[in-house]
Amino acid sequence: MPIDLAALSTQVFITHGLDNNMPQYEATTGEVQHQLQRDSQPDGIAAFKPNSIIITNGKHNYVHKFNIRKGGQRRWTFTDVIEPYSVIVDDRGVIWVRSNRYDRFALISRDGKVCERIYQDDAILYNGQHILQINQTATYVRTPTKSRM
């Protein structure tokens, strides 16, 4: 039963693995503001500033971006990652998704259209830079390959 959480401004989102609902809490009061309905149980979740969240679902092989200011409206879907699980958004807005099936990360562009894949062992030294320095690089994407992760 995957459990993950993301904070965006004063809102906290929790995936609890019990059903398809994802509660949206007000951080200052702890009250549930909204139950975002998803088509299936999300696995990973990450905040995407200023007003979106990224959700992964390994069972159905998708990564979604939702706008939380518009009632959870779906902005885009990326389906070229097999068993996506963990997700994080770096300072440049690059979405890092870990595949549970392969020892790889998919790096997805802000608009969900471009993807690069790197092996987990190479993630520490990516483009010749230590992972902690990656946010200072300006380019990271190449044309996506036809093969899925």
Side-chain angles (χ1 to χ4, degrees), residues 122-142:
D122 296 333
I124 293 173
L125 283 175
Y126 176 68
N127 279 349
Q129 295 182 340
H130 190 274
I131 196 74
L132 297 176
Q133 298 170 334
I134 197 167
N135 289 332
Q136 298 170 7
T137 61
T139 59
Y140 68 96
V141 293
R142 292 192 287 258

PDB file of all heavy atoms in Angstrom, residues 122-142:
ATOM      1  N   ASP A 122      24.019   5.941 -13.219  1.00  0.00           N
ATOM      2  CA  ASP A 122      24.529   7.151 -13.860  1.00  0.00           C
ATOM      3  C   ASP A 122      23.893   8.415 -13.300  1.00  0.00           C
ATOM      4  O   ASP A 122      24.339   9.516 -13.603  1.00  0.00           O
ATOM      5  CB  ASP A 122      24.283   7.105 -15.363  1.00  0.00           C
ATOM      6  CG  ASP A 122      25.052   5.980 -16.031  1.00  0.00           C
ATOM      7  OD1 ASP A 122      26.105   5.598 -15.490  1.00  0.00           O
ATOM      8  OD2 ASP A 122      24.585   5.489 -17.066  1.00  0.00           O
ATOM      9  N   ALA A 123      22.853   8.287 -12.505  1.00  0.00           N
ATOM     10  CA  ALA A 123      22.146   9.469 -12.004  1.00  0.00           C
ATOM     11  C   ALA A 123      23.020  10.285 -11.060  1.00  0.00           C
ATOM     12  O   ALA A 123      22.897  11.490 -10.984  1.00  0.00           O
ATOM     13  CB  ALA A 123      20.853   9.068 -11.294  1.00  0.00           C
ATOM     14  N   ILE A 124      23.923   9.624 -10.367  1.00  0.00           N
ATOM     15  CA  ILE A 124      24.791  10.355  -9.447  1.00  0.00           C
ATOM     16  C   ILE A 124      25.743  11.256 -10.230  1.00  0.00           C
ATOM     17  O   ILE A 124      25.982  12.389  -9.861  1.00  0.00           O
ATOM     18  CB  ILE A 124      25.551   9.383  -8.531  1.00  0.00           C
ATOM     19  CG1 ILE A 124      24.537   8.704  -7.616  1.00  0.00           C
ATOM     20  CG2 ILE A 124      26.616  10.107  -7.725  1.00  0.00           C
ATOM     21  CD1 ILE A 124      25.095   7.607  -6.764  1.00  0.00           C
ATOM     22  N   LEU A 125      26.257  10.753 -11.348  1.00  0.00           N
ATOM     23  CA  LEU A 125      27.064  11.588 -12.228  1.00  0.00           C
ATOM     24  C   LEU A 125      26.318  11.726 -13.542  1.00  0.00           C
ATOM     25  O   LEU A 125      26.435  10.905 -14.434  1.00  0.00           O
ATOM     26  CB  LEU A 125      28.440  10.970 -12.467  1.00  0.00           C
ATOM     27  CG  LEU A 125      29.425  11.110 -11.333  1.00  0.00           C
ATOM     28  CD1 LEU A 125      30.705  10.358 -11.646  1.00  0.00           C
ATOM     29  CD2 LEU A 125      29.723  12.577 -11.070  1.00  0.00           C
ATOM     30  N   TYR A 126      25.528  12.749 -13.661  1.00  0.00           N
ATOM     31  CA  TYR A 126      24.701  12.980 -14.833  1.00  0.00           C
ATOM     32  C   TYR A 126      25.299  14.131 -15.634  1.00  0.00           C
ATOM     33  O   TYR A 126      25.538  15.203 -15.096  1.00  0.00           O
ATOM     34  CB  TYR A 126      23.274  13.281 -14.412  1.00  0.00           C
ATOM     35  CG  TYR A 126      22.380  13.619 -15.561  1.00  0.00           C
ATOM     36  CD1 TYR A 126      22.049  12.645 -16.495  1.00  0.00           C
ATOM     37  CD2 TYR A 126      21.886  14.899 -15.723  1.00  0.00           C
ATOM     38  CE1 TYR A 126      21.242  12.950 -17.561  1.00  0.00           C
ATOM     39  CE2 TYR A 126      21.066  15.205 -16.785  1.00  0.00           C
ATOM     40  CZ  TYR A 126      20.753  14.233 -17.706  1.00  0.00           C
ATOM     41  OH  TYR A 126      19.966  14.528 -18.755  1.00  0.00           O
ATOM     42  N   ASN A 127      25.567  13.898 -16.911  1.00  0.00           N
ATOM     43  CA  ASN A 127      26.227  14.888 -17.768  1.00  0.00           C
ATOM     44  C   ASN A 127      27.548  15.354 -17.176  1.00  0.00           C
ATOM     45  O   ASN A 127      27.911  16.521 -17.272  1.00  0.00           O
ATOM     46  CB  ASN A 127      25.323  16.092 -18.025  1.00  0.00           C
ATOM     47  CG  ASN A 127      24.305  15.825 -19.107  1.00  0.00           C
ATOM     48  OD1 ASN A 127      24.390  14.826 -19.809  1.00  0.00           O
ATOM     49  ND2 ASN A 127      23.353  16.708 -19.245  1.00  0.00           N
ATOM     50  N   GLY A 128      28.250  14.426 -16.508  1.00  0.00           N
ATOM     51  CA  GLY A 128      29.550  14.754 -15.948  1.00  0.00           C
ATOM     52  C   GLY A 128      29.496  15.591 -14.688  1.00  0.00           C
ATOM     53  O   GLY A 128      30.508  16.067 -14.201  1.00  0.00           O
ATOM     54  N   GLN A 129      28.309  15.807 -14.140  1.00  0.00           N
ATOM     55  CA  GLN A 129      28.165  16.612 -12.934  1.00  0.00           C
ATOM     56  C   GLN A 129      27.567  15.777 -11.826  1.00  0.00           C
ATOM     57  O   GLN A 129      26.747  14.890 -12.076  1.00  0.00           O
ATOM     58  CB  GLN A 129      27.245  17.809 -13.176  1.00  0.00           C
ATOM     59  CG  GLN A 129      27.805  18.798 -14.165  1.00  0.00           C
ATOM     60  CD  GLN A 129      26.858  19.964 -14.315  1.00  0.00           C
ATOM     61  OE1 GLN A 129      25.685  19.865 -13.991  1.00  0.00           O
ATOM     62  NE2 GLN A 129      27.364  21.060 -14.802  1.00  0.00           N
ATOM     63  N   HIS A 130      27.961  16.077 -10.613  1.00  0.00           N
ATOM     64  CA  HIS A 130      27.358  15.411  -9.468  1.00  0.00           C
ATOM     65  C   HIS A 130      25.892  15.808  -9.413  1.00  0.00           C
ATOM     66  O   HIS A 130      25.512  16.916  -9.772  1.00  0.00           O
ATOM     67  CB  HIS A 130      28.070  15.812  -8.167  1.00  0.00           C
ATOM     68  CG  HIS A 130      27.640  14.979  -7.009  1.00  0.00           C
ATOM     69  ND1 HIS A 130      26.533  15.287  -6.265  1.00  0.00           N
ATOM     70  CD2 HIS A 130      28.149  13.842  -6.498  1.00  0.00           C
ATOM     71  CE1 HIS A 130      26.376  14.368  -5.327  1.00  0.00           C
ATOM     72  NE2 HIS A 130      27.350  13.489  -5.443  1.00  0.00           N
ATOM     73  N   ILE A 131      25.037  14.927  -8.967  1.00  0.00           N
ATOM     74  CA  ILE A 131      23.588  15.150  -8.944  1.00  0.00           C
ATOM     75  C   ILE A 131      23.214  16.447  -8.232  1.00  0.00           C
ATOM     76  O   ILE A 131      22.252  17.107  -8.597  1.00  0.00           O
ATOM     77  CB  ILE A 131      22.867  13.935  -8.315  1.00  0.00           C
ATOM     78  CG1 ILE A 131      21.386  13.941  -8.618  1.00  0.00           C
ATOM     79  CG2 ILE A 131      23.094  13.855  -6.839  1.00  0.00           C
ATOM     80  CD1 ILE A 131      21.065  13.564  -9.995  1.00  0.00           C
ATOM     81  N   LEU A 132      23.986  16.852  -7.247  1.00  0.00           N
ATOM     82  CA  LEU A 132      23.670  18.082  -6.524  1.00  0.00           C
ATOM     83  C   LEU A 132      23.921  19.324  -7.363  1.00  0.00           C
ATOM     84  O   LEU A 132      23.418  20.388  -7.061  1.00  0.00           O
ATOM     85  CB  LEU A 132      24.469  18.158  -5.217  1.00  0.00           C
ATOM     86  CG  LEU A 132      24.156  17.057  -4.221  1.00  0.00           C
ATOM     87  CD1 LEU A 132      25.073  17.176  -3.006  1.00  0.00           C
ATOM     88  CD2 LEU A 132      22.703  17.115  -3.800  1.00  0.00           C
ATOM     89  N   GLN A 133      24.685  19.196  -8.450  1.00  0.00           N
ATOM     90  CA  GLN A 133      24.972  20.338  -9.315  1.00  0.00           C
ATOM     91  C   GLN A 133      24.080  20.366 -10.548  1.00  0.00           C
ATOM     92  O   GLN A 133      24.160  21.297 -11.334  1.00  0.00           O
ATOM     93  CB  GLN A 133      26.429  20.294  -9.767  1.00  0.00           C
ATOM     94  CG  GLN A 133      27.401  20.382  -8.624  1.00  0.00           C
ATOM     95  CD  GLN A 133      28.823  20.103  -9.085  1.00  0.00           C
ATOM     96  OE1 GLN A 133      29.030  19.413 -10.067  1.00  0.00           O
ATOM     97  NE2 GLN A 133      29.778  20.642  -8.363  1.00  0.00           N
ATOM     98  N   ILE A 134      23.232  19.379 -10.729  1.00  0.00           N
ATOM     99  CA  ILE A 134      22.462  19.263 -11.968  1.00  0.00           C
ATOM    100  C   ILE A 134      21.534  20.448 -12.200  1.00  0.00           C
ATOM    101  O   ILE A 134      21.254  20.811 -13.321  1.00  0.00           O
ATOM    102  CB  ILE A 134      21.682  17.940 -12.016  1.00  0.00           C
ATOM    103  CG1 ILE A 134      21.248  17.652 -13.444  1.00  0.00           C
ATOM    104  CG2 ILE A 134      20.492  17.962 -11.100  1.00  0.00           C
ATOM    105  CD1 ILE A 134      20.749  16.271 -13.648  1.00  0.00           C
ATOM    106  N   ASN A 135      21.051  21.081 -11.161  1.00  0.00           N
ATOM    107  CA  ASN A 135      20.131  22.200 -11.325  1.00  0.00           C
ATOM    108  C   ASN A 135      20.781  23.408 -11.974  1.00  0.00           C
ATOM    109  O   ASN A 135      20.103  24.326 -12.398  1.00  0.00           O
ATOM    110  CB  ASN A 135      19.533  22.602  -9.977  1.00  0.00           C
ATOM    111  CG  ASN A 135      18.566  21.566  -9.483  1.00  0.00           C
ATOM    112  OD1 ASN A 135      17.960  20.861 -10.278  1.00  0.00           O
ATOM    113  ND2 ASN A 135      18.430  21.448  -8.185  1.00  0.00           N
ATOM    114  N   GLN A 136      22.081  23.419 -12.096  1.00  0.00           N
ATOM    115  CA  GLN A 136      22.769  24.539 -12.706  1.00  0.00           C
ATOM    116  C   GLN A 136      22.961  24.362 -14.203  1.00  0.00           C
ATOM    117  O   GLN A 136      23.399  25.273 -14.875  1.00  0.00           O
ATOM    118  CB  GLN A 136      24.126  24.743 -12.019  1.00  0.00           C
ATOM    119  CG  GLN A 136      23.965  25.067 -10.551  1.00  0.00           C
ATOM    120  CD  GLN A 136      25.280  25.026  -9.817  1.00  0.00           C
ATOM    121  OE1 GLN A 136      26.333  24.889 -10.416  1.00  0.00           O
ATOM    122  NE2 GLN A 136      25.219  25.147  -8.508  1.00  0.00           N
ATOM    123  N   THR A 137      22.635  23.185 -14.752  1.00  0.00           N
ATOM    124  CA  THR A 137      22.787  22.978 -16.186  1.00  0.00           C
ATOM    125  C   THR A 137      21.548  23.468 -16.916  1.00  0.00           C
ATOM    126  O   THR A 137      20.437  23.390 -16.414  1.00  0.00           O
ATOM    127  CB  THR A 137      23.027  21.493 -16.511  1.00  0.00           C
ATOM    128  OG1 THR A 137      21.893  20.746 -16.073  1.00  0.00           O
ATOM    129  CG2 THR A 137      24.287  20.974 -15.863  1.00  0.00           C
ATOM    130  N   ALA A 138      21.745  23.974 -18.117  1.00  0.00           N
ATOM    131  CA  ALA A 138      20.636  24.575 -18.856  1.00  0.00           C
ATOM    132  C   ALA A 138      19.940  23.585 -19.773  1.00  0.00           C
ATOM    133  O   ALA A 138      18.765  23.717 -20.049  1.00  0.00           O
ATOM    134  CB  ALA A 138      21.143  25.761 -19.670  1.00  0.00           C
ATOM    135  N   THR A 139      20.649  22.597 -20.284  1.00  0.00           N
ATOM    136  CA  THR A 139      20.032  21.657 -21.214  1.00  0.00           C
ATOM    137  C   THR A 139      20.083  20.252 -20.633  1.00  0.00           C
ATOM    138  O   THR A 139      21.033  19.882 -19.965  1.00  0.00           O
ATOM    139  CB  THR A 139      20.765  21.665 -22.567  1.00  0.00           C
ATOM    140  OG1 THR A 139      22.112  21.317 -22.337  1.00  0.00           O
ATOM    141  CG2 THR A 139      20.674  23.026 -23.222  1.00  0.00           C
ATOM    142  N   TYR A 140      19.068  19.486 -20.912  1.00  0.00           N
ATOM    143  CA  TYR A 140      19.031  18.126 -20.382  1.00  0.00           C
ATOM    144  C   TYR A 140      18.286  17.170 -21.275  1.00  0.00           C
ATOM    145  O   TYR A 140      18.332  15.974 -21.080  1.00  0.00           O
ATOM    146  CB  TYR A 140      18.372  18.100 -19.001  1.00  0.00           C
ATOM    147  CG  TYR A 140      16.910  18.415 -19.070  1.00  0.00           C
ATOM    148  CD1 TYR A 140      15.967  17.405 -19.113  1.00  0.00           C
ATOM    149  CD2 TYR A 140      16.466  19.714 -19.144  1.00  0.00           C
ATOM    150  CE1 TYR A 140      14.635  17.689 -19.215  1.00  0.00           C
ATOM    151  CE2 TYR A 140      15.135  20.004 -19.239  1.00  0.00           C
ATOM    152  CZ  TYR A 140      14.227  18.991 -19.271  1.00  0.00           C
ATOM    153  OH  TYR A 140      12.912  19.288 -19.376  1.00  0.00           O
ATOM    154  N   VAL A 141      17.532  17.641 -22.248  1.00  0.00           N
ATOM    155  CA  VAL A 141      16.649  16.753 -22.995  1.00  0.00           C
ATOM    156  C   VAL A 141      17.177  16.476 -24.395  1.00  0.00           C
ATOM    157  O   VAL A 141      17.869  17.284 -24.986  1.00  0.00           O
ATOM    158  CB  VAL A 141      15.218  17.326 -23.098  1.00  0.00           C
ATOM    159  CG1 VAL A 141      14.565  17.358 -21.752  1.00  0.00           C
ATOM    160  CG2 VAL A 141      15.228  18.706 -23.715  1.00  0.00           C
ATOM    161  N   ARG A 142      16.846  15.313 -24.877  1.00  0.00           N
ATOM    162  CA  ARG A 142      17.121  14.928 -26.257  1.00  0.00           C
ATOM    163  C   ARG A 142      15.808  14.419 -26.825  1.00  0.00           C
ATOM    164  O   ARG A 142      14.836  14.206 -26.116  1.00  0.00           O
ATOM    165  CB  ARG A 142      18.162  13.828 -26.298  1.00  0.00           C
ATOM    166  CG  ARG A 142      19.536  14.275 -25.864  1.00  0.00           C
ATOM    167  CD  ARG A 142      20.571  13.229 -26.212  1.00  0.00           C
ATOM    168  NE  ARG A 142      20.493  12.073 -25.352  1.00  0.00           N
ATOM    169  CZ  ARG A 142      21.302  11.838 -24.342  1.00  0.00           C
ATOM    170  NH1 ARG A 142      22.235  12.694 -24.040  1.00  0.00           N
ATOM    171  NH2 ARG A 142      21.176  10.758 -23.628  1.00  0.00           N
TER     172      ARG A 142
END
